[in-house]
Amino acid sequence: MFGNAPELIASVLQTFVASTHANLAELAQALSAQNLGAVAALAHKIAGASRMSGAIALGHSARSLEDAAKQGDRAALAHGMTDLEAQWRLVQATIARQTDFS
């Protein structure tokens, strides 16, 4: 998609990292407030951005969290958030190894 354009790739990934970081903070607040509609919407947003950025496992985790929020499954929400955070740490580490930003 980007060919041999490391600066462009780094820029896209940097935008992905910044927006996902902000969305995860909002997601944690929504979960704490038990606002399941907001949790579902934010998880959906993270899932799409993750898949478009190549972070497929993160996208799957976000989709599972979205489904749990839509179903009102509180146990699955707690597990899903833990899984999403773990996947996010892996994605951040991978991106940091491959670019000049973290």
Side-chain angles (χ1 to χ4, degrees), residues 14-26:
Q14 188 171 17
T15 299
F16 168 69
V17 167
S19 65
T20 302
H21 181 74
N23 287 331
L24 284 169
E26 286 184 55

Side-chain angles (χ1 to χ4, degrees), residues 39-56:
V39 170
L42 287 159
H44 181 82
K45 192 175 192 179
I46 293 167
S50 298
R51 290 178 176 147
M52 288 181 61
S53 298
I56 303 305

Side-chain angles (χ1 to χ4, degrees), residues 8-102:
L8 179 58
I9 294 168
S11 176
V12 168
L13 290 175
Q14 188 171 17
T15 299
F16 168 69
V17 167
S19 65
T20 302
H21 181 74
N23 287 331
L24 284 169
E26 286 184 55
L27 180 64
Q29 290 176 342
L31 191 57
S32 178
Q34 299 184 11
N35 183 343
L36 301 185
V39 170
L42 287 159
H44 181 82
K45 192 175 192 179
I46 293 167
S50 298
R51 290 178 176 147
M52 288 181 61
S53 298
I56 303 305
L58 180 64
H60 288 311
S61 294
R63 179 57 197 259
S64 293
L65 188 66
E66 177 186 358
D67 291 343
K70 287 179 177 178
Q71 295 167 5
D73 186 340
R74 299 204 187 276
L77 280 168
H79 174 74
M81 190 65 182
T82 299
D83 184 53
L84 185 65
E85 290 168 337
Q87 289 297 328
W88 177 236
R89 286 190 296 275
L90 291 172
V91 167
Q92 286 182 295
T94 300
I95 291 172
R97 281 193 307 272
Q98 296 177 4
T99 62
D100 293 332
F101 64 94
S102 56

